[in-house]
Amino acid sequence: MCGIVGGVTNKDITALLLEGLNRLEYRGYDSSGLIVLSKNNSFDRIRSVGKVRNLENILKAREQKISGNIGIAHTRWATHGEPSIDNAHPHISMNSVSLVHNGIIENYIDLKNEQLNRGYSFSSETDTEVIAHAIDFAMKSCNTLISSVQLAIKSFSGSYGLGVISSKYPDQIIATRKGSPLVIGIGTNGNYIASDQMALLSVTKEFIFLEEGDVAEIKIDKITIYDLNGNLVVRPIKISMLKAGSVDLGNYDHFMQKEIFEQPQAIRDTLESRITNDSIVISAFGFKAEKKFNKVKQVQIIACGSSYNAGLVAKYWLEDIAKIPCNVEVASEYRYRRPIILNDTLFVTLSQSGETADTVEALKAAKIINCNICTLCITNSAESSLTRLSDLTFLTHAGPEIGVASTKAFTTQLVSLALLACSIGKLQNTINRSQEKSIINGLKKLPGLIHKALHQEEKIKKLATRFQNKNSALFLGRGTMHAIAMEGALKLKEISYIHAEAYPAGELKHGPIALIDKDMPVIAIAPNDELLEKLKSNLQEVKSRGSQMIVFEDENSLIEPMEAMEVISITSNVGRITAPIIFTIPLQLLSYHVALSKGTDVDRPRNLAKSVTVE
Ligand code: F6R
């Protein structure tokens, strides 16, 4: 939700700001903008609606090039105010302060009224402009930029990651965060800020991750940080393991395509050093994990979107393998109710980014309701709000996921959750050594099996063209495959804009079957499991209503092809843990190719952003 990049260097900063914006575009692409302090310490700003390439085109077309040693930039996911030039960041107050913001200032209307009374005028509909005016006003009573920011932020409620520059203090950027991510990059030619380290990989691998409420003064040769109580603090410098190339497209056309095909390796990486001698390394969940998992009596999983769908699959595994009750809920609902949280609950948050605002807030709320619970986050982001707030962390090691539609993050979450169910089952003796071995062997075969499933791409691509003129689609599955059907429907909706719903196949006759006619494509998942015969009956019910069907089956499910029914074999005799992971692959490929055939922007679908750091 909005990306910020900035820096103070001994070189021209403009190229880095643009490169950073391109790397952060996954966080929002409603508008973008950048500002530098030019030689005479005056602001030079350009803004544009839509993707970063529009901003680049404006820059190229300008006769007088933008240049400066200090600057900030922003790519926006609109919350308050439509995508427009006026609403695009950076915002300026009184030609003295300029800033970029990621987050939401909830009390902006009160602040705006106060500032109107003080004589400030507003040129945007955003909540952000009040921040600029508040800092400008604070500068009248403070003698440094950092103390002005420290004073101003006291009046805000809500969330913010901020990069602030001032024409009166041309040697520094002030950075602060609360509820939104912000990192400082330490380079040889200067120092930088960004919402995500990926934006700065071409200039540094050394990062400081700001804590909640920190305020930092960043100069070319010096970084000074104060905590939320105003105490001078030293935050550790971490070396990033990410490579600049890992966030490039390589030979692929889209990040989503690249990430679908990276899944065999992503799963290998997630399993690496988590298994030894066909046995799970429980300490991979944290040194205290064994002690905590021994006592667990129930699991609560909280997540959003695709991560929520992964949680739904895990419920089957935790109850089946570990024999403990598991509840799964979307974070945006959970955080606002008064749930009962029993002692000995393992509270699991699932999140690719580790920054999803609803998930973070749900975790905070749960810790207040019962401070005795053990909290575990399963995330793809080592330095994130969730890892900081949780007792235990398990990293998915999927590598950077840039495509807005989650693919490899989802399947590596499933692998991590399978390891979790197996760990608790092992500790609580609900599975024996040979059952553990068999689960592990299944997981180890996954990269090869996914590779095989990816080979069906050409067949799936041909089927995808059928969706070009469709308005709706139904996805069917039973057991864990219902959650996978939900994930398939979500993928189709978000990147091809076709309305899609998932149903447990047995539930269809209780209402939704009324929707079935020749214009309603139905996609069914048919693994060779104990529910197969039931599913076959459900497919007959659908078929006899004239639907066009696509069935992704296990070779041994032996679904008889009928007229207007395509059956594609994806795999052969896989187990209850591996099956949902493998059957995710054809659904990802289907939505990818439907989106391509419709000509939508696969990696940056409309209205979405990768990391939802606002409520
Ligand atoms: C769907 C998708 C979203 C995310 C959701 C949660 O393809 O990517 O539904 O799964 O926004 O994000 P994280 O996992 O970062 O908490």
mmCIF file of all heavy atoms in Angstrom, residues 355-378:
data_model
loop_
_atom_site.group_PDB
_atom_site.id
_atom_site.type_symbol
_atom_site.label_atom_id
_atom_site.label_comp_id
_atom_site.label_asym_id
_atom_site.label_seq_id
_atom_site.Cartn_x
_atom_site.Cartn_y
_atom_site.Cartn_z
ATOM 1 N N GLU A 355 3.282 -7.806 6.792
ATOM 2 C CA GLU A 355 2.919 -6.413 7.090
ATOM 3 C C GLU A 355 1.433 -6.139 6.925
ATOM 4 O O GLU A 355 1.020 -4.985 7.067
ATOM 5 C CB GLU A 355 3.687 -5.445 6.171
ATOM 6 C CG GLU A 355 5.194 -5.466 6.324
ATOM 7 C CD GLU A 355 5.671 -4.927 7.666
ATOM 8 O OE1 GLU A 355 4.864 -4.349 8.412
ATOM 9 O OE2 GLU A 355 6.866 -5.117 7.954
ATOM 10 N N THR A 356 0.625 -7.132 6.570
ATOM 11 C CA THR A 356 -0.792 -6.878 6.316
ATOM 12 C C THR A 356 -1.440 -6.299 7.581
ATOM 13 O O THR A 356 -1.429 -6.929 8.641
ATOM 14 C CB THR A 356 -1.484 -8.182 5.866
ATOM 15 O OG1 THR A 356 -0.848 -8.577 4.662
ATOM 16 C CG2 THR A 356 -2.964 -7.994 5.637
ATOM 17 N N ALA A 357 -1.984 -5.086 7.443
ATOM 18 C CA ALA A 357 -2.416 -4.330 8.626
ATOM 19 C C ALA A 357 -3.432 -5.118 9.459
ATOM 20 O O ALA A 357 -3.313 -5.177 10.695
ATOM 21 C CB ALA A 357 -3.006 -2.998 8.189
ATOM 22 N N ASP A 358 -4.423 -5.729 8.809
ATOM 23 C CA ASP A 358 -5.449 -6.444 9.571
ATOM 24 C C ASP A 358 -4.849 -7.619 10.350
ATOM 25 O O ASP A 358 -5.234 -7.889 11.484
ATOM 26 C CB ASP A 358 -6.547 -6.946 8.624
ATOM 27 C CG ASP A 358 -7.452 -5.800 8.174
ATOM 28 O OD1 ASP A 358 -7.756 -4.914 9.002
ATOM 29 O OD2 ASP A 358 -7.861 -5.785 7.005
ATOM 30 N N THR A 359 -3.908 -8.314 9.717
ATOM 31 C CA THR A 359 -3.294 -9.478 10.374
ATOM 32 C C THR A 359 -2.446 -9.024 11.568
ATOM 33 O O THR A 359 -2.497 -9.620 12.654
ATOM 34 C CB THR A 359 -2.441 -10.276 9.351
ATOM 35 O OG1 THR A 359 -3.241 -10.502 8.190
ATOM 36 C CG2 THR A 359 -1.987 -11.594 9.912
ATOM 37 N N VAL A 360 -1.695 -7.948 11.360
ATOM 38 C CA VAL A 360 -0.856 -7.418 12.451
ATOM 39 C C VAL A 360 -1.747 -6.983 13.622
ATOM 40 O O VAL A 360 -1.477 -7.308 14.789
ATOM 41 C CB VAL A 360 0.000 -6.233 11.931
ATOM 42 C CG1 VAL A 360 0.707 -5.532 13.074
ATOM 43 C CG2 VAL A 360 1.005 -6.703 10.887
ATOM 44 N N GLU A 361 -2.836 -6.291 13.303
ATOM 45 C CA GLU A 361 -3.714 -5.789 14.369
ATOM 46 C C GLU A 361 -4.447 -6.932 15.077
ATOM 47 O O GLU A 361 -4.687 -6.880 16.279
ATOM 48 C CB GLU A 361 -4.716 -4.773 13.810
ATOM 49 C CG GLU A 361 -4.072 -3.460 13.377
ATOM 50 C CD GLU A 361 -3.203 -2.819 14.457
ATOM 51 O OE1 GLU A 361 -3.617 -2.798 15.634
ATOM 52 O OE2 GLU A 361 -2.091 -2.348 14.113
ATOM 53 N N ALA A 362 -4.816 -7.972 14.321
ATOM 54 C CA ALA A 362 -5.485 -9.124 14.930
ATOM 55 C C ALA A 362 -4.541 -9.795 15.933
ATOM 56 O O ALA A 362 -4.955 -10.211 17.022
ATOM 57 C CB ALA A 362 -5.923 -10.114 13.854
ATOM 58 N N LEU A 363 -3.268 -9.875 15.559
ATOM 59 C CA LEU A 363 -2.274 -10.474 16.468
ATOM 60 C C LEU A 363 -2.143 -9.629 17.735
ATOM 61 O O LEU A 363 -2.145 -10.166 18.860
ATOM 62 C CB LEU A 363 -0.924 -10.608 15.738
ATOM 63 C CG LEU A 363 0.282 -11.012 16.574
ATOM 64 C CD1 LEU A 363 0.062 -12.360 17.273
ATOM 65 C CD2 LEU A 363 1.539 -11.107 15.706
ATOM 66 N N LYS A 364 -2.068 -8.311 17.557
ATOM 67 C CA LYS A 364 -1.949 -7.428 18.743
ATOM 68 C C LYS A 364 -3.172 -7.600 19.636
ATOM 69 O O LYS A 364 -3.063 -7.676 20.860
ATOM 70 C CB LYS A 364 -1.838 -5.969 18.294
ATOM 71 C CG LYS A 364 -0.493 -5.611 17.695
ATOM 72 C CD LYS A 364 -0.489 -4.108 17.384
ATOM 73 C CE LYS A 364 0.692 -3.698 16.546
ATOM 74 N NZ LYS A 364 0.508 -2.405 15.909
ATOM 75 N N ALA A 365 -4.357 -7.655 19.013
ATOM 76 C CA ALA A 365 -5.599 -7.773 19.793
ATOM 77 C C ALA A 365 -5.618 -9.090 20.563
ATOM 78 O O ALA A 365 -5.988 -9.123 21.750
ATOM 79 C CB ALA A 365 -6.803 -7.683 18.854
ATOM 80 N N ALA A 366 -5.177 -10.164 19.920
ATOM 81 C CA ALA A 366 -5.189 -11.483 20.582
ATOM 82 C C ALA A 366 -4.262 -11.484 21.789
ATOM 83 O O ALA A 366 -4.580 -12.052 22.840
ATOM 84 C CB ALA A 366 -4.778 -12.553 19.580
ATOM 85 N N LYS A 367 -3.109 -10.817 21.645
ATOM 86 C CA LYS A 367 -2.141 -10.795 22.759
ATOM 87 C C LYS A 367 -2.696 -10.032 23.955
ATOM 88 O O LYS A 367 -2.348 -10.303 25.097
ATOM 89 C CB LYS A 367 -0.817 -10.191 22.278
ATOM 90 C CG LYS A 367 -0.030 -11.192 21.443
ATOM 91 C CD LYS A 367 1.141 -10.596 20.699
ATOM 92 C CE LYS A 367 2.233 -10.033 21.534
ATOM 93 N NZ LYS A 367 3.509 -9.930 20.810
ATOM 94 N N ILE A 368 -3.572 -9.067 23.663
ATOM 95 C CA ILE A 368 -4.193 -8.320 24.773
ATOM 96 C C ILE A 368 -5.253 -9.194 25.446
ATOM 97 O O ILE A 368 -5.358 -9.252 26.672
ATOM 98 C CB ILE A 368 -4.798 -6.996 24.260
ATOM 99 C CG1 ILE A 368 -3.666 -6.071 23.810
ATOM 100 C CG2 ILE A 368 -5.664 -6.321 25.320
ATOM 101 C CD1 ILE A 368 -4.115 -4.829 23.059
ATOM 102 N N ILE A 369 -6.031 -9.934 24.637
ATOM 103 C CA ILE A 369 -7.106 -10.768 25.209
ATOM 104 C C ILE A 369 -6.524 -11.878 26.083
ATOM 105 O O ILE A 369 -7.020 -12.160 27.165
ATOM 106 C CB ILE A 369 -7.997 -11.350 24.083
ATOM 107 C CG1 ILE A 369 -8.756 -10.214 23.396
ATOM 108 C CG2 ILE A 369 -8.978 -12.395 24.631
ATOM 109 C CD1 ILE A 369 -9.478 -10.601 22.126
ATOM 110 N N ASN A 370 -5.458 -12.526 25.601
ATOM 111 C CA ASN A 370 -4.832 -13.576 26.415
ATOM 112 C C ASN A 370 -3.327 -13.513 26.222
ATOM 113 O O ASN A 370 -2.801 -13.952 25.193
ATOM 114 C CB ASN A 370 -5.369 -14.957 26.014
ATOM 115 C CG ASN A 370 -4.854 -16.042 26.949
ATOM 116 O OD1 ASN A 370 -3.854 -15.855 27.634
ATOM 117 N ND2 ASN A 370 -5.552 -17.161 26.971
ATOM 118 N N CYS A 371 -2.654 -12.963 27.234
ATOM 119 C CA CYS A 371 -1.208 -12.748 27.083
ATOM 120 C C CYS A 371 -0.423 -14.062 27.246
ATOM 121 O O CYS A 371 0.795 -14.078 27.092
ATOM 122 C CB CYS A 371 -0.729 -11.679 28.057
ATOM 123 S SG CYS A 371 -1.079 -12.099 29.743
ATOM 124 N N ASN A 372 -1.116 -15.168 27.564
ATOM 125 C CA ASN A 372 -0.395 -16.441 27.752
ATOM 126 C C ASN A 372 -0.253 -17.267 26.488
ATOM 127 O O ASN A 372 0.392 -18.299 26.497
ATOM 128 C CB ASN A 372 -1.132 -17.319 28.781
ATOM 129 C CG ASN A 372 -1.103 -16.669 30.142
ATOM 130 O OD1 ASN A 372 -0.077 -16.110 30.517
ATOM 131 N ND2 ASN A 372 -2.216 -16.710 30.852
ATOM 132 N N ILE A 373 -0.898 -16.838 25.415
ATOM 133 C CA ILE A 373 -0.851 -17.664 24.212
ATOM 134 C C ILE A 373 0.538 -17.644 23.589
ATOM 135 O O ILE A 373 1.306 -16.698 23.805
ATOM 136 C CB ILE A 373 -1.876 -17.186 23.147
ATOM 137 C CG1 ILE A 373 -1.689 -15.706 22.842
ATOM 138 C CG2 ILE A 373 -3.288 -17.534 23.557
ATOM 139 C CD1 ILE A 373 -2.525 -15.214 21.675
ATOM 140 N N CYS A 374 0.827 -18.699 22.827
ATOM 141 C CA CYS A 374 2.077 -18.714 22.068
ATOM 142 C C CYS A 374 1.766 -18.232 20.656
ATOM 143 O O CYS A 374 0.814 -18.705 20.032
ATOM 144 C CB CYS A 374 2.617 -20.141 22.030
ATOM 145 S SG CYS A 374 4.007 -20.307 20.909
ATOM 146 N N THR A 375 2.534 -17.280 20.171
ATOM 147 C CA THR A 375 2.255 -16.723 18.845
ATOM 148 C C THR A 375 3.340 -17.147 17.850
ATOM 149 O O THR A 375 4.525 -17.061 18.137
ATOM 150 C CB THR A 375 2.160 -15.190 18.892
ATOM 151 O OG1 THR A 375 3.380 -14.673 19.431
ATOM 152 C CG2 THR A 375 0.999 -14.722 19.742
ATOM 153 N N LEU A 376 2.897 -17.614 16.707
ATOM 154 C CA LEU A 376 3.809 -18.050 15.643
ATOM 155 C C LEU A 376 3.426 -17.321 14.362
ATOM 156 O O LEU A 376 2.239 -17.285 14.015
ATOM 157 C CB LEU A 376 3.655 -19.569 15.417
ATOM 158 C CG LEU A 376 4.181 -20.131 14.088
ATOM 159 C CD1 LEU A 376 5.706 -20.080 14.022
ATOM 160 C CD2 LEU A 376 3.725 -21.590 13.900
ATOM 161 N N CYS A 377 4.389 -16.736 13.672
ATOM 162 C CA CYS A 377 4.047 -16.208 12.341
ATOM 163 C C CYS A 377 4.770 -17.020 11.281
ATOM 164 O O CYS A 377 5.918 -17.424 11.467
ATOM 165 C CB CYS A 377 4.342 -14.712 12.219
ATOM 166 S SG CYS A 377 6.055 -14.281 12.102
ATOM 167 N N ILE A 378 4.035 -17.294 10.215
ATOM 168 C CA ILE A 378 4.621 -17.955 9.045
ATOM 169 C C ILE A 378 4.600 -16.907 7.944
ATOM 170 O O ILE A 378 3.532 -16.462 7.513
ATOM 171 C CB ILE A 378 3.815 -19.215 8.658
ATOM 172 C CG1 ILE A 378 3.912 -20.237 9.801
ATOM 173 C CG2 ILE A 378 4.328 -19.809 7.348
ATOM 174 C CD1 ILE A 378 3.153 -21.532 9.577
#
